[in-house]
Amino acid sequence: MNNLIELKKLNKSYGQGDTAYHVLHDIDLEVKMGELTAIIGESGSGKSTLINIIGFLDTDFSGEYLFKEQPIQDLKAKDLAFLRNQDVGFVFQNFKLIRGLSVYANVALPLLYAGKKRNEIESAILAALKKVGLAGYEKALPQNMSGGQQQRVAIARAIVSHPSFLIADEPTGALDSQNSRDIMELFKKLNAEGTTILMVTHDPRIAKACKRTIEILDGRIIADSKGRVAK
Ligand SMILES: Nc1ncnc2c1ncn2[C@@H]1O[C@H](COP(=O)(O)OP(=O)(O)O)[C@@H](O)[C@H]1O
Ligand SMILES: [Mg+2]
């Protein structure tokens, strides 16, 4: 099968000249459709920097990034914005939901950004909420929900437009162990249904539940369990 994501000798520095800080060093990485991959490593090792590049949030790097075999460096800003909206769903440690908006309105956002009409999107929103176990919570406000529920809303928002892959940066970092396990079960279910997932985690139990683990140290990939079967 072809690669969904391929990085070749990718390097990334913050800043320029004497004060430049070289964060990622010669990253070579291939991710295929259907993977469930954990990225682990010490704080400050470059994990968020790497997945922000993979999620098209940061295009200031050298080396090559092929997405579906196309170099993304060749894309215009508007095509990149399209990729960001259509091809990737983001899940963050602190959920990043909009407080004043209902669950329904939060999940609607990617579809509205994509230019879909309000009356066309209801079925997609209800299906995404059902998938994450929150059918019936449309009118709830995120600030009145538990952390685990808020993360489910964020996951519904991430999957509502059926992106090619999900990126999750420490998705269980703000949750207790029971909620962390539940969220991991949800990611496993979504993966079993075909969603490709890349997840940064500090939690060894979460990493163990993934099919593949990549370890980063000081901006270099130092281990990759490619092919290891999930327990
Ligand atoms: N916008 C930025 N400007 C300058 N340095 C940054 C920026 N973002 C992150 N860094 C630095 O890059 C290194 C890697 O950060 P990050 O990718 O956030 O690591 P991780 O997610 O593994 O904790 C850290 O030393 C961090 O301080
Ligand atoms: Mg980070």
Side-chain angles (χ1 to χ4, degrees):
M1 212 204 328
N2 297 332
N3 291 319
L4 180 67
I5 290 160
E6 185 169 0
L7 308 179
K8 293 184 185 170
K9 295 265 169 295
L10 187 135
N11 283 268
K12 163 77 189 174
S13 295
Y14 286 115
Q16 282 178 344
D18 291 348
T19 56
Y21 178 57
H22 194 165
V23 196
L24 297 177
H25 300 261
D26 292 334
I27 300 284
D28 289 318
L29 178 64
E30 295 178 9
V31 177
K32 296 198 189 313
M33 301 263 278
E35 287 197 10
L36 172 57
T37 296
I39 299 175
I40 60 171
E42 285 170 22
S43 185
S45 56
K47 305 180 298 296
S48 294
T49 301
L50 176 62
I51 60 168
N52 287 343
I53 290 173
I54 292 175
F56 320 112
L57 293 178
D58 177 6
T59 53
D60 179 21
F61 57 83
S62 63
E64 256 195 297
Y65 177 2
L66 305 175
F67 181 68
K68 295 183 177 169
E69 308 197 314
Q70 281 243 9
I72 72 149
Q73 293 97 313
D74 296 352
L75 295 177
K76 298 196 178 71
K78 105 175 178 317
D79 298 324
L80 270 173
F82 186 78
L83 275 189
R84 237 175 262 134
N85 183 256
Q86 298 289 312
D87 276 292
V88 58
F90 281 94
V91 179
F92 301 96
Q93 176 170 356
N94 54 1
F95 324 131
K96 296 203 181 179
L97 298 171
I98 299 182
R99 280 178 62 85
L101 292 185
S102 67
V103 163
Y104 185 94
N106 268 282
V107 177
L109 286 174
L111 300 169
L112 295 175
Y113 287 139
K116 301 260 195 302
K117 301 277 185 300
R118 282 179 196 278
N119 58 358
E120 296 170 354
I121 61 182
E122 183 175 347
S123 59
I125 297 167
L126 297 181
L129 285 172
K130 190 166 174 219
K131 257 195 183 169
V132 302
L134 288 179
Y137 283 81
E138 293 79 25
K139 293 196 173 120
L141 291 171
Q143 62 264 36
N144 298 332
M145 302 172 88
S146 73
Q149 288 175 326
Q150 290 188 52
Q151 195 59 300
R152 287 173 188 276
V153 177
I155 293 170
R157 181 184 57 187
I159 61 173
V160 73
S161 35
H162 301 286
S164 304
F165 66 110
L166 289 189
I167 282 183
D169 196 348
E170 312 258 11
T172 64
L175 302 178
D176 63 29
S177 63
Q178 182 60 51
N179 274 305
S180 297
R181 271 199 298 275
D182 291 348
I183 290 293
M184 191 58 215
E185 283 308 312
L186 175 57
F187 279 123
K188 280 170 80 169
K189 184 186 92 169
L190 295 172
N191 177 252
E193 291 168 3
T195 308
T196 307
I197 302 175
L198 280 172
M199 183 185 308
V200 169
T201 185
H202 265 113
D203 185 337
R205 282 169 299 193
I206 297 288
K208 220 172 161 183
C210 292
K211 295 174 184 167
R212 176 181 180 190
T213 307
I214 291 168
E215 185 173 0
I216 304 209
L217 179 66
D218 297 336
R220 291 184 170 82
I221 293 178
I222 58 163
D224 184 347
S225 75
K226 207 151 129 180
R228 183 171 64 96
V229 178
K231 296 219 176 76

